[in-house]
Amino acid sequence: MKMNNLETIVEMIKDSDAILIGASNGLSISEGYNIFADDDRFKKVFGDFREKYGIRSALQGAMTANNTDNEMWSYIGRMAQNYSTETPLMKELHELVKDKPHFILTSNTDGHFQKAGFKPDKVFELEGNLTEMYCPNLCYGEVIDGEELIDEMLKHEVGTEIPDEYLPKCSHCGSVLKPHLPDGHFFFQDNNYNKRYQNFQEFLEKYHNKKLLILELGIGPYNQMIKAPLMQIAYAEPNANYVTFNKGQIYIAPEIVSKSIGIDGDLSSIIPEMLNLMETENSKSETNQNY
Ligand SMILES: [Zn+2]
């Protein structure tokens, strides 16, 4: 990793009119939340499920421990409580971009952006959020914030199950609510989802032709949901710059190479490094203004 590249990116942040952030699993992993790993957090939170089913990652368990609503809500509830938390790295990312207009596209379902201070109307969660719920009969047009319901139901957890009476239920039809996550090929695009989509379109219109900086954080090279659209925006916008951070695999479409930078490294050290560079530079310019 060349230091001068990070300096260039910090300059781009300061010089930009707006910042469009795309984020996927790689960012969560750098924050210390790896849903693919048989790590200490997984063993601590899901040790009993791990024994019971032989699962070896939080993601694998989410696809396995769902035979009954009782077990599914025990599993998803624990995941929401232990994986949807505030992280220091996300707070540093917020510090880095908060003074510029920004918008976030993410497939992460851990809600880390909002917990770190990003405004919910600027965060478009394309695959939902672990702490949100909806009625399977779609009685309501919007998802329900289920954070308190989850804390409450987990107090009554018995082994790997939530007893029937503590399952979250629709106040209209009585059905057990579902977590707002993709369910096979179905994903509930509720009213909030549509509003965020509209916010995103308005953001793109507002900063059309302006200096738009696209920061892509931990997205796999072949990702079609976020990476491909971001590269298309970089291509179509004459004054856009595109910066992709990923550990191990960097891909930049040939058409946008001249306006792009790829950083192969770990965001857990890159984000603090960039924040440090920015703060050093800010304090220098403040000192200069005093003379
Ligand atoms: Zn209902």
Side-chain angles (χ1 to χ4, degrees), residues 22-202:
S24 184
N25 294 311
L27 177 59
S28 297
I29 292 170
S30 294
E31 294 175 84
Y33 292 77
N34 190 340
I35 59 168
F36 305 95
D38 191 20
D39 59 7
D40 289 347
R41 188 188 314 277
F42 172 66
K43 287 173 188 164
K44 182 165 163 268
V45 176
F46 294 114
D48 46 1
F49 279 105
R50 188 175 178 276
E51 282 291 305
K52 189 173 174 180
Y53 288 112
I55 51 171
R56 291 295 178 265
S57 73
L59 182 65
Q60 193 189 1
M63 294 184 291
T64 308
N66 55 14
N67 291 325
T68 62
D69 289 333
N70 312 75
E71 198 173 60
M72 180 272 287
W73 271 117
S74 166
Y75 195 92
I76 296 295
R78 285 191 212 178
M79 200 163 163
Q81 208 175 53
N82 293 281
Y83 286 72
S84 295
T85 53
E86 187 186 298
T87 75
L89 189 68
M90 195 62 98
K91 294 201 87 154
E92 289 180 306
L93 177 65
H94 185 243
E95 280 299 309
L96 195 63
V97 303
K98 71 177 169 38
D99 294 333
K100 294 288 180 176
H102 53 261
F103 195 86
I104 293 119
L105 295 179
T106 185
S107 53
N108 294 349
T109 59
D110 50 30
H112 289 176
F113 281 97
Q114 299 90 320
K115 294 251 188 296
F118 285 93
K119 298 272 187 297
D121 63 342
K122 298 178 195 299
V123 183
F124 189 6
E125 294 174 313
L126 295 158
E127 300 208 297
N129 187 312
L130 277 166
T131 63
E132 292 174 348
M133 305 173 179
Y134 70 99
C135 172
N137 295 322
L138 307 185
C139 290
Y140 304 109
E142 280 173 13
V143 296
I144 294 162
D145 175 7
E147 212 161 354
E148 285 176 14
L149 284 171
I150 287 168
D151 288 345
E152 190 55 34
M153 73 168 100
L154 286 176
K155 284 182 197 159
H156 303 282
E157 187 185 41
V158 180
T160 56
E161 294 190 350
I162 305 292
D164 284 343
E165 60 266 43
Y166 297 105
L167 291 173
K169 296 186 190 82
C170 173
S171 59
H172 184 72
C173 73
S175 299
V176 175
L177 300 178
K178 283 181 169 281
H180 190 216
L181 302 169
D183 185 7
H185 290 296
F186 177 75
F187 177 64
F188 179 35
Q189 298 186 353
D190 72 316
N191 292 341
N192 284 326
Y193 181 98
N194 295 327
K195 275 183 225 160
R196 297 293 181 280
Y197 177 77
Q198 201 181 333
N199 294 349
F200 177 45
Q201 294 305 317
E202 284 166 7

Side-chain angles (χ1 to χ4, degrees), residues 199-216:
N199 294 349
F200 177 45
Q201 294 305 317
E202 284 166 7
F203 178 87
L204 290 180
E205 279 164 31
K206 188 169 178 184
Y207 297 103
H208 173 53
N209 279 335
K210 302 272 174 58
K211 281 188 262 183
L212 180 68
L213 176 61
I214 299 168
L215 297 181
E216 191 190 275

